Amino acid sequence: MSGNPRRYYLLILIMLCSITCIAGCIDIFTLENVNNTKPVYRVGVTSEEPPITYVDTDGTWRGIDVESIQWIGEEMGFEVVLVPLIWKNWLPMLESKKIDIVYSSMTITPERAELINFSNPYMVADQCITSHIDSHLTMADFLEGKGKIGVMKGGTGEEWVVQNQIESGVRLSSQIVQYDSISLAFLDLVGKKIDFVIHDTHATRDGIVNTPLSVIGTVETNEKYGVGMRKDDVELLQTINEGLRRLMASPKWPELLEKYQFTS
């Protein structure tokens, strides 16, 4: 088998984890509650975004967004089925009803808000610029458009580079390298195949632990995370907003912030 062994191992973990999440309370063929007592919602999450959403080494889904939606589901009376997704596919999966909710550090943007409904914001983030510790390139070099930069395809990091560097002529489009997951971008940065990675502050913090990478600067974007749903799922939107309100008013929210080491 060719390719990255770590990636194949991760895919196996995701598949096993997805089966575990579904088994026991959900009919795996219809995704309906066996006892027909609660509605069931498929929640799209990425698998490599610690401390937001990720699959642990034992195959268990973890992260602040994962535990948040599980708490909200229990509080609001619905079953949660976690569905792994590649970020670039979140909209097709939502439109085709393979998932009902995107709860995975999703930034609220005007462009996305034209296509889907967003919940009230629940977290704020900026964009981090990461480089190899051996690199001679600086944050000033990044801002001047030097070097190759890795981005998660369809993410707001890529959007920032396009709007602030490509469109202004500071950086060539050929200097952007797109990845289906940010962990693959970090792997290439470790291997010095690219010079920078731009990504959300929270996921970057955990993503570069125990690697020869360091954050060299931050772009203040003040992005607000929200939960995404289809436009016609108005009742679900109300349910999620009420669930978020209850979560943030409960002792569970500060507990999660502390557990996953968020300062705000």
Side-chain angles (χ1 to χ4, degrees), residues 107-146:
T107 300
I108 301 170
T109 68
E111 294 78 14
R112 291 172 179 171
E114 290 182 1
L115 302 172
I116 64 172
N117 280 334
F118 275 106
S119 71
N120 296 327
Y122 66 90
M123 194 175 293
V124 178
D126 293 312
Q127 292 290 318
C128 276
I129 312 303
T130 307
S131 71
H132 198 285
I133 58 174
D134 293 338
S135 176
H136 66 279
L137 296 174
T138 65
M139 184 64 179
D141 292 323
F142 166 78
L143 293 173
E144 291 173 5
K146 296 178 182 178

Side-chain angles (χ1 to χ4, degrees), residues 82-100:
L82 298 175
V83 180
L85 59 80
I86 295 174
W87 189 250
K88 66 180 181 180
N89 294 334
W90 69 264
L91 184 58
M93 290 183 71
L94 196 61
E95 290 179 334
S96 63
K97 298 189 177 182
K98 292 180 180 178
I99 56 175
D100 306 296

